Structures are given as structure tokens and as C-alpha cells.
Amino acid sequence: MRPLLLVASLLATAVSGGAIAGQLPPAPTDAVLTRADALARADARFAEIDTDRDGKISASERDAIPAPRRGPAAEGAEGRGGRAGMGGVRGIERADTDRDGFVTRAEFAAQAAAMFDRQDLNKDGKVDAAERATLREQRRERRGDRADD
């Protein structure tokens, strides 16, 4: 009985720790992502970045986004837009369509919707593992990477 309680306690701590941190778990690589899910994830990400809760992302909030921790490949990723998702910092800057220096929730959502639409290759409202594999291969080809890397 004790081992069961210990496992249950550890599991509850791990689950609540993720919820407390406010982070969305990464989507499994074989999962299907719907447009609604993508927009909900973008809305949650906007809420994380908008630390002063004024409904817009300022330059200081954008600059405070930590760089990803993905090993050696992440080095220099900031310059390629490697922070924050949505194309990173540059993607957030591109989302500022009215060029007022702030990204509103609506601008952020529009950028996320456009990104999803580019990834939904067969236009069925879902991005599945096959589409992700195709997109990954296209990125490799653009970068000149070998497929077996």
C-alpha cells in the first residue's frame, strides 16, 4: 500500500507542478493538431508572454522571452527566430501588423492561424504526423541538410 501512495503522490506532484508552471506540454509527434487546438495553445502562450497583463506584448516582454534549451542546435537560434514559438522573436515582430511596437492578442492569434494554415498542407483543418514529416523534409532541403542527420 505504501509504494502505491508514494507513486500516487509523486504523480500528483509532477502533474500539479506542470500546471503551476503554466506551461503547455509539448504535443506528441504523432498527435493530430487541430486549428482550434493551435489557436488555444497560441492564446496560452500569449498569456505567458504578456507578463503585465495589458493585452499586448511590448518590446521588453518580447526581449524577456528565454531562448530555447535544445542543445548545440539552439546556439544562434535566437537570430533565426528561435525563441517563443511562432517563428521566435522575429515571428512576434512580424505579428505587429500595425507597426505600433506592440503585438495585441488579435495580432498574435492571426499570426498563429496563418502559421497553422501554412502547415495544414491538405487543408483539412488538422496537422498530422505525415504533414509534419513533409514539412520537416522541406526544411531540411531548404537548409541543405541531409535527411539522415
Side-chain angles (χ1 to χ4, degrees):
M1 183 69 171
R2 255 191 200 157
L4 180 60
L5 289 174
L6 178 61
V7 170
S9 296
L10 290 173
L11 182 60
T13 302
V15 170
S16 65
I20 291 171
Q23 297 177 353
L24 292 170
T29 56
D30 62 345
V32 173
L33 180 68
T34 66
R35 194 170 202 276
D37 291 339
L39 293 177
R41 292 177 70 82
D43 192 54
R45 184 65 178 138
F46 181 91
E48 288 177 12
I49 298 169
D50 181 23
T51 55
D52 63 7
R53 306 291 181 245
D54 65 351
K56 53 191 174 187
I57 298 172
S58 65
S60 62
E61 288 169 322
R62 183 194 67 227
D63 293 342
I65 299 168
R69 289 176 278 169
R70 295 187 185 158
E75 290 188 22
E78 181 179 328
R80 294 190 311 267
R83 297 190 297 179
M86 284 192 36
V89 171
R90 288 188 299 184
I92 290 177
E93 290 169 350
R94 281 192 304 268
D96 182 17
T97 55
D98 62 5
R99 303 290 180 237
D100 66 351
F102 298 95
V103 176
T104 64
R105 186 176 296 271
E107 288 172 321
F108 197 85
Q111 179 82 356
M115 179 191 277
F116 178 86
D117 292 343
R118 282 191 305 274
Q119 295 172 357
D120 182 14
L121 301 177
N122 63 4
K123 305 302 178 204
D124 66 350
K126 299 177 265 189
V127 176
D128 60 23
E131 287 168 311
R132 279 192 294 281
T134 299
L135 292 163
R136 205 171 17 258
E137 184 59 34
Q138 289 173 352
R139 268 193 312 274
R140 285 183 179 139
E141 289 173 5
R142 278 194 310 271
R143 293 178 184 162
D145 294 347
R146 292 191 333 247
D148 60 347
D149 282 346

